[in-house]
């Protein structure tokens, strides 16, 4: 397997893009990544597009080929991949694999979703496509329900409090204020969070990521071929995809997602790095409590300490480990298929030293993208090439 | 890249499976392929699932992980891929790539779709997800419309007649009668075909593949590791995926699909074979005229001669090149995401010499899976290992 580097990134703002067709958003982000990379279109040998619910939400599929055509790419394999909220991370892993295995010299990754045009009930129904509806459908649980249960269990076992979880929200909403791509940055007080409309006890509105449109893109290339390109290449040290249970009952312990634990373990082994090497992480905070759990599952924070660390500021920019300096899903937004690719966009800018909320001296960054009930997970480890 | 072989196949019948959840169909076919292969579940290192429209049709995604869990597979990367009607072929190519590149020793491919439970209008709307709806939507064209236009152009240029195209229908419906997995085998006369209800001039009902439920599965393995398995291994000599235009206006010549021409050319180059080496092909006859065009695009029949060859019986079992001995999409059915994998199921049985409509002495077989307006295409070349 060849070494692979990221040589270009692009992204639309996350938020409302009413009236813009989904493929146009994807084309916009991808065109930016192509220009950023300096890679000639004729050299791109594969396109992977991560998308979750364009079928039910837009009546549009075959997006991979559609986007490639509008970008003027040659006759190359163009594939949409889907793994619920991990679709973007899965797309990246396949582009990495195509280049690492020598199938092509460069590959383009695009993640995209449009959601804000639909009514809430339709969006909720579409998002529930990520559940095992035969088995869990009759329970009536939706994703806020699942994460509400997880919070209850975490609070009971580890003493995680409302104010600790609010610290996650305050941090990420604050980080989002510094990120021009973020949908909902804000300066919030504990009271504003606790008093925001209840969604699914104990989750309030500000504990939940918003509904978003957006697209992000990444260009990967074989390291040995990336020499003459304009920008700084970022090393891909590990790209891992794992599977957990699609059933809620398949998770007897809701304080952990086994797919995250497994992906992190494999990524550390693949890269030779340890959690201590990681300077920042963009992780899957679809709900505030998810960040607490993810940070522990990834080995970045001791088990049970996710809430404590957030409250003590140890996960802020400038703290021990910067978690979601972009604002995360909570503030940046969560256009589902775009999220995993958007995380890579953010980490690449951090490692280039060009992020608007820069982590000083960042050398190693991680992304973590989790799908459904933890049925799919990807973890990526990136390093500044001169580091 | 390592040599790859197919070591197991499985399939449900294609047709109506009312009330059976889509993931159950997939599990049934996959379990059969696992048993057929003799590969231990713990050795399977990746699962690729081809599906097109389970989101809009069933409100179900994350099928790859869901199916893996119900099969009792370990924590492995599980990925749904989508490329309209070529989804199954794309899934196979990715499993092949995972094994060929050394990512894993064995990989499981599943293709699945359920369609018969929905109303015709809903199915048509879902199928139209495979079009470039922004550009072609306003034209009002559906897929029968596109292939009706193609027929007109082919007839005008090459003199292809109703009775020649009917010969395709009679052949495939007749082949289907011999295939216990086929949905709609029949003995038809030219009059019955010409007098069947009009769909989109000049297409009559029997020119169109039926709406179907079904699943098929294939196990691939590294050739060097497949020695001790019970069944005869089938060599994968080429697995190719290409892209054509997603727009109808992107096909100024409707008598050919450039993605098919390109895929065939690449598959012949990759395998070192020529069209003369191919004993049989399962190709994408979503409509009768599609078989005519595909057979020419694949280089199996001289340009413009597809109709003539069918009428002369040269594409029947026992003819020069056996086309769709399974009955093809026209008779076997077209559960979209399953189709490309089902074609591999059929060819593997031909090369094992165990097909109910056996092509005598078959050594080399081809599959051809075409998505949407030709936006995605896969071609596979398989050979009997002792051949």
């Amino acid at each position: 397997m060849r070494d692979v580097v990221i040589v270009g990134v692009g992204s639309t703002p996350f938020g409302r893009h009413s009236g813009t067709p989904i493929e146009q958003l994807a084309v916009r982000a991808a065109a930016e990544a192509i220009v950023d990379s300096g890679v000639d279109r004729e050299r791109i040998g594969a396109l992977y597009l991560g998308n979750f619910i364009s079928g039910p939400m837009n009546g549009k599929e075959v997006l991979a080929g559609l986007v490639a055509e509008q970008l003027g790419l040659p006759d190359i394999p163009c594939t949409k991949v889907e793994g619920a909220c991990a679709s973007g991370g899965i797309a990246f892993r396949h582009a990495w694999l195509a280049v690492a295995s020598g199938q092509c010299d460069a590959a383009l990754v695009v993640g995209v979703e449009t959601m804000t045009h639909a009514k809430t009930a339709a969006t909720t129904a579409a998002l529930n496509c990520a559940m095992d509806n035969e088995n869990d459908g009759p329970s009536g649980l939706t994703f806020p329900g699942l994460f509400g249960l997880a919070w209850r269990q975490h609070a009971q076992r580890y003493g995680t409090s409302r104010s600790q979880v609010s610290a996650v929200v305050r941090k990420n909403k604050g980080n989002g204020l510094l990120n021009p791509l973020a949908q909902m940055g804000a300066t919030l007080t504990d009271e504003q969070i606790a008093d925001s409309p209840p969604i699914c006890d104990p989750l309030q509105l500000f504990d939940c990521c918003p509904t978003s449109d957006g697209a992000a893109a990444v260009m990967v290339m074989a390291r040995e071929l990336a020499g003459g390109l304009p920008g700084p290449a970022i090393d891909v040290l590990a790209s891992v995809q794992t599977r957990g249970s699609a059933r809620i009952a398949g998770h007897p312990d809701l304080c952990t997602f086994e797919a995250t634990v497994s992906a992190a373990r494999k990524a550390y082994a693949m890269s030779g790095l340890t959690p201590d090497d990681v300077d920042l992480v963009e992780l899957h905070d679809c709900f505030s409590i998810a960040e607490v759990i993810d940070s522990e599952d990834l080995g970045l924070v001791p088990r049970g300490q996710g809430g404590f660390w957030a409250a003590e500021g140890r996960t802020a920019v400038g703290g021990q480990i910067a978690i979601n300096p972009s604002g995360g899903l909570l503030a940046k937004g969560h256009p589902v298929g775009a999220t995993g690719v958007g995380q890579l966009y953010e980490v690449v800018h951090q490692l280039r030293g060009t992020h608007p909320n820069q982590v000083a001296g960042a050398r190693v960054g991680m992304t973590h993208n989790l799908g459904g009930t933890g049925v799919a997970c990807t973890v990526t480890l990136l390093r500044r090439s001169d580091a």
Side-chain angles (χ1 to χ4, degrees), chain A residues 26-346:
Chain A
V27 165
R28 202 179 298 172
E32 187 182 320
I34 293 172
V35 170
D36 185 51
S37 72
V39 172
D40 192 276
R41 277 168 164 75
E42 293 297 320
R43 261 192 116 171
I44 302 171
L47 182 146
Y48 284 93
L49 184 140
N51 172 262
F52 174 35
I53 42 172
S54 176
M57 297 288 276
N58 299 301
K60 290 182 184 175
E61 291 287 357
V62 298
L63 288 176
L66 207 55
V67 167
E69 180 170 15
Q70 297 190 11
L71 285 168
L73 299 188
D75 164 23
I76 56 172
C78 299
T79 307
K80 167 181 158 167
V81 298
E82 184 274 328
C85 305
S87 299
I90 292 172
F92 175 78
R93 179 175 168 272
H94 281 81
W96 165 80
L97 184 57
V99 172
S101 68
Q103 281 289 298
C104 55
D105 295 338
L108 183 59
V109 190
V110 195
V112 67
E113 207 80 58
T114 54
M115 307 166 70
T116 67
H117 61 288
K119 292 200 161 58
T120 302
T123 307
T124 299
L127 289 172
N128 264 22
C129 288
M131 287 219 169
D132 178 349
N133 280 317
E134 292 299 322
N135 291 291
D136 288 334
S139 74
L141 267 178
T142 58
F143 284 99
L146 171 62
F147 281 90
L149 286 174
W151 184 340
R152 285 280 183 220
Q153 199 170 342
H154 205 277
Q156 202 161 37
R157 190 181 302 167
Y158 302 114
T160 303
S161 67
R162 168 74 261 181
S163 73
Q164 286 172 352
V165 177
S166 291
V168 171
V169 178
R170 283 192 287 103
K171 167 179 68 71
N172 290 1
K173 291 286 190 186
N175 285 340
L177 272 183
L178 301 172
N179 186 352
L181 298 183
Q183 179 174 8
M184 279 194 178
T187 304
L188 294 176
T189 65
D190 280 359
E191 291 65 37
Q192 286 172 312
I193 296 165
D195 292 346
S196 64
I199 299 298
C200 186
D201 187 65
L203 295 167
Q204 311 291 122
L205 184 64
F206 287 136
D207 292 301
C208 307
C209 66
T211 299
S212 318
D213 310 322
V218 166
M219 181 84 77
V220 291
M221 199 165 193
R223 189 191 226 280
E224 66 206 35
L225 303 171
L229 295 175
I234 302 296
D235 288 321
V236 182
L237 298 185
S239 175
V240 173
Q241 179 184 349
T242 56
R243 182 186 75 75
S245 178
R247 297 186 191 184
I248 294 171
H251 298 269
D253 183 353
L254 288 175
C255 295
T256 180
F257 289 98
E258 74 271 28
T260 300
V261 173
S262 166
R265 191 185 306 127
K266 289 175 182 173
Y268 291 129
M270 193 173 180
S271 62
L273 298 178
T274 71
D276 284 342
D277 295 314
V278 180
D279 298 305
L280 76 136
V281 60
E282 291 289 335
L283 58 71
H284 203 88
D285 60 328
C286 45
F287 300 94
S288 50
I289 187 65
E291 173 163 320
V292 173
I293 293 170
D294 296 345
S295 65
E296 300 171 11
D297 281 346
L298 294 168
L300 300 170
V301 170
R303 182 62 66 191
Q305 298 293 302
F308 293 90
W309 277 43
E312 290 169 0
R314 297 167 78 170
T315 60
V317 172
Q320 218 153 325
I321 166 79
I323 299 184
N324 287 327
S326 74
L329 284 60
L330 285 176
K332 194 186 168 194
H334 184 25
V336 176
T339 291
V341 187
Q343 293 173 325
L344 291 158
Y345 174 96
E346 300 290 341

